[in-house]
Amino acid sequence: MPRYEYRCRTCGSTFEVSRPMAESSAPANCPAGHDDTVKLLSAVAVGGTSSAPSPAAGGGGGCCGGGCCG
């Protein structure tokens, strides 16, 4: 289940709420009971590997991956 981060405008605390994606836009009360909250945007890190050859492996000349730079 996704976790959404919120900030309370009344007391300034930041908190997380786990809820289904279908309820992602529903309001959330802060743990202190205030209801003036705003949902924060969270950065998501995605790992993986690139399929592009590295310059050390002899993959291209550097000009946008082309062969214009020797």
Side-chain angles (χ1 to χ4, degrees):
M1 187 170 309
R3 297 176 64 93
Y4 299 95
E5 191 173 23
Y6 294 85
R7 177 172 294 131
C8 178
R9 292 180 181 167
T10 304
C11 66
S13 67
T14 301
F15 60 97
E16 293 182 346
V17 175
S18 294
R19 55 173 50 162
M21 290 178 75
E23 297 176 16
S24 66
S25 61
N29 290 341
C30 92
H34 306 121
D35 60 358
D36 188 14
T37 60
V38 61
K39 187 167 85 168
L40 303 176
L41 293 176
S42 300
V44 178
V46 178
T49 60
S50 172
S51 61
S54 69
C63 297
C64 299
C68 61
C69 300

